[in-house]
Amino acid sequence: DMSEASVGLTMMKTPDLVFFTDGSKLASLLTPEEFATLSGYVSAIGINGEMLQGFKPWMVATFLALSPCEIKNNSSGHSTLDDVVESTAKQRGIKRVGLETIEEQFRSMSDMAMEAQIANLKLSIALYDRIDDSMATLKQLYLDRRIAEMFPLLEEMLKDQPQQARLVIREFQLRLIDQRNQRMRERALPLLEQGNAFVAVGALHLPGDVGLVELLRQSGYKLTPVN
């Protein structure tokens, strides 16, 4: 359940995952120029500079994950793919089961090393003026079923900042992809054993030696592409 109400409730229940609880301020982790640029970007979604100060870097980076085009689409009533899948199941009376909770997802991101969180936010700020182009390219790779090329694309975009990029990609791959793949596999197996299950996950959870496709094959299932 990724509704605003559910996300808001999780933030209230686990403030330590989302906010600094030791008096730290976000601005102290960025240059004055970066913080000013960031404040300008997030003002479009109703967050001011003072509100920003208490958020942990990973959370602020998620504010920059949507491009202006995506924000405009969402505000005009266009549904995301996730919403379409969930609402279709609901309309058909199909039972819906989450492979993870919002709190678990928050914890995975909060567990990223602080150095990596800061590097990720800095890179997000630096690349935000190209995010519409980036999103369009990622969408096309998805539609072309070239999912495994998404990380190489990211590496190419970050080649001017190799040290930060390596740190971010390593932590992202470990915390947000590999470890969650294991959890998703364990949660999906009982549903698959019951039969007639439709499992939807983010595209980056599919490819690779520890991707869900390979993990399910290791569990004894035969997986083939549907064309």
Side-chain angles (χ1 to χ4, degrees), residues 13-78:
K13 286 172 52 182
T14 57
D16 57 307
L17 300 181
V18 178
F19 303 101
F20 289 115
T21 56
D22 60 358
S24 298
K25 299 289 185 181
L26 184 68
S28 67
L29 306 177
L30 304 171
T31 66
E33 294 76 17
E34 287 171 333
F35 189 76
T37 300
L38 173 63
S39 298
Y41 288 151
V42 299
S43 64
I45 57 174
I47 297 177
N48 61 40
E50 191 57 36
M51 293 169 63
L52 271 179
Q53 292 282 19
F55 285 108
K56 287 188 174 180
W58 77 261
M59 188 68 188
V60 180
T62 67
F63 299 154
L64 302 183
L66 283 180
S67 69
C69 282
E70 293 293 315
I71 293 172
K72 185 177 179 181
N73 280 340
N74 292 345
S75 62
S76 61
H78 289 273

Side-chain angles (χ1 to χ4, degrees), residues 12 31 33 41-42 49 67 88 92 94 102 108-109 118 121 132 139 142-143 145 158 164-165 172 179 190-191:
M12 290 174 59
T31 66
E33 294 76 17
Y41 288 151
V42 299
S67 69
T88 300
R92 298 182 182 182
I94 298 172
I102 298 174
S108 292
M109 292 186 276
I118 296 168
L121 179 55
D132 280 328
K139 280 186 179 181
Y142 175 82
L143 294 171
R145 300 190 175 201
L158 301 178
Q164 282 187 326
F172 186 93
Q179 291 180 352
L191 304 175

Side-chain angles (χ1 to χ4, degrees), residues 166-182:
R166 281 196 299 271
L167 174 63
V168 170
I169 290 174
R170 184 178 69 244
E171 278 288 298
F172 186 93
Q173 181 75 49
L174 174 64
R175 307 286 183 185
L176 302 188
I177 305 297
D178 296 352
Q179 291 180 352
R180 290 172 65 211
N181 285 350
Q182 297 287 344

Side-chain angles (χ1 to χ4, degrees), residues 64-67 70 127 130-155 157 172 203-204:
L64 302 183
L66 283 180
S67 69
E70 293 293 315
L127 296 174
R130 287 189 279 162
I131 192 169
D132 280 328
D133 292 338
S134 303
M135 291 294 290
T137 305
L138 285 171
K139 280 186 179 181
Q140 196 57 53
L141 287 176
Y142 175 82
L143 294 171
D144 291 344
R145 300 190 175 201
R146 296 159 60 192
I147 296 171
E149 295 179 33
M150 289 180 172
F151 263 126
L153 170 65
L154 180 61
E155 291 171 355
M157 291 176 61
F172 186 93
L204 286 178

Side-chain angles (χ1 to χ4, degrees), residues 74-92:
N74 292 345
S75 62
S76 61
H78 289 273
S79 297
T80 65
L81 180 56
D82 305 56
D83 292 334
V84 171
V85 171
E86 184 172 7
S87 62
T88 300
K90 186 175 181 179
Q91 290 166 10
R92 298 182 182 182

